[in-house]
Every structure is written in C-alpha cells, then in structure tokens.
Amino acid sequence: NGGRMPFAGAAVGSAFRNEIAPRGGLVRLREFQLAEIEHFMNPNDKDHPKFGDVRDLEVPLWPREQQEATEDPILLTLGEAVDIGMVDNPTLAYFMGRVYLYLKALGAVHVRFRQHRSNEMAHYATDCWDAELLCSGGWLECVGIADRSCYDLEVHSARTGKDMTAFETYAEPQEERTVERKCNKAAIGKAFKGDAQRVLHHLQHELSAAECQTMQQVLDTGMAVQATVDGGLEVDITPEMVRFEQVTKKVTGRAFTPSVIEPSFGIGRILWCVL
C-alpha cells in the first residue's frame, strides 16, 4: 500500500486448535472455519472516516465494570460509548457496528457485545469485545473484535529483522531533537554472528532516546554495556559497535509501527446460532 495508512486485508480458511473433547456440534471443533480482517492504522490516529455511519447505532454493551458488579448489559449508541471511553477508539467501534449489522442481516435475534475483563485480555491488547449470540446453550462468543496495538508487527520485525513501519508525512516540515544511531554493522556481525540482526534491531529501534543517552555515557568511558535484546539474549555492547548522538533535524514526517484492529469471525458458531 505504499506505506499509507489505513490498510486492510481479509482471509477466510481453516483454523486448528488442540481441542481435547470436541462437542456441541459446530461449537467446539479441532478444525473450524475462521474469517479475519486485519485493519492496520496509525496508532496516533484511530479515527475512522466512516464512523459516522454507525455512530448513532444502539447496541447492547456489557463492559467489564458491569460484569464485575453482576449487572446487566446496557444499551448505548457507539458514539456515546466512544465519548465516555467505554470503547477505546472510533475504528474499533466502527467494526463493532459493522459486525452488529452483519449479524442482524444474517437473522441473529439476540446479540450483545461483552468486553474482555482485565484478567482475560491479552497483555498487548488495548481493548477487546466479543459479539455473543444467544443459542440453546446460552450466550456464545461468535466474533472477536480486538485492538491488538502494535504488538504483531513489532514482534514480527524483531524476529525477522524486517522493517514493518509505515511513514506519516507532516503538513509542514518540523524541527525535532532526535537520536542519531550510528551502528557498525561489521563489528556487530563479527561479534554476534547469527544474532547480529536481533542486536542491530534492538539498537536501532527498541531503545528510547533516554536509554540511548544513558548507554552512550557509559560507552564514552570505554566500557561495554550489557543489554538484553528481544527473547532474553544478553549481549555486551562495546564502544566500537555503536554511537548515539543528539542532533536537531528538519523532518518531513516520521516512521511508525502500525496498530491493528482484528475482527475474527467463527463461521461455524454463527451458523449454529442463526440456524
């Protein structure tokens, strides 16, 4: 997509899990049909241009506070839910609205959205809601809509050494105080061999400006700095491997790792509940 955001892809296919006791018809299977959308966006701009289409849509919401107080779901418009911070951002709410309309169009009668409680939400997720349908066995999760933050691409980039960033162009050039990271790839490659890409990624992308400054203060004394790169690998960074310099530059934009909103549809479960 030329580095432009937002960008989305979708896939439908078979998924597998280690289900010890398959049961409940299409509810618990070892192999099942899954449809997913991966919607990538700027983490600093989570508005959606079509949020207005669903902003006034009233949906039953069961936020974590209501669950913990054993209270019933509440009926709110998605706009109200975003305004009060119940749903984290407009793009997440937009997909919740589209999922609700889709399930209703399929013939689902009883639909609600249940927010993941703090003890069940993935550590990297910003917010997560399940669309649940009422069937003969009670409420059943059929669609998950999660804001998975930047976790997926950051981990992929760390493991592969591939750049997974997009670029945001500013309306006007800006002066920024930044850290210039001068890495000696030859010295790093000679010292760490197969782990060189992981170390290089750590130095170029994972250290904050403050961490770079602190490391450079030690390197300036001629001593090595022990660092822990992704995966728990401990390495010694020596002065000839890297130098960090504070510089002021005119910049036209910035690189960022996109966040992703992931609606995930359990096709079998939806059919089970609707039919």
Side-chain angles (χ1 to χ4, degrees), residues 51 53-61 75-90 92-101 113 129:
F51 179 53
D53 295 348
V54 298
R55 182 178 180 85
D56 296 327
L57 183 65
E58 280 193 333
V59 296
L61 300 173
L75 195 64
L76 281 179
T77 68
L78 289 169
E80 291 170 335
V82 170
D83 291 342
I84 65 176
M86 182 183 294
V87 176
D88 184 75
N89 60 77
L92 182 64
Y94 169 75
F95 280 104
M96 290 171 65
R98 291 298 299 269
V99 166
Y100 182 81
L101 294 173
F113 288 94
W129 293 77

Side-chain angles (χ1 to χ4, degrees), residues 157 161-163 165 178-186 188 196-209 211-212 215 229 237 241-244 255 257:
S157 181
K162 300 294 185 181
D163 183 11
T165 59
T178 185
V179 177
E180 194 170 74
R181 304 163 191 244
K182 299 180 178 179
C183 295
N184 186 337
K185 294 183 180 179
I188 292 171
Q197 283 295 333
R198 294 167 62 188
V199 175
L200 194 61
H201 184 273
H202 178 76
L203 295 173
Q204 291 179 328
H205 301 291
E206 295 179 355
L207 293 177
S208 67
E211 289 171 327
C212 291
M215 181 178 287
V229 304
I237 305 299
M241 293 179 182
V242 65
R243 180 165 185 82
F244 302 106
T257 301

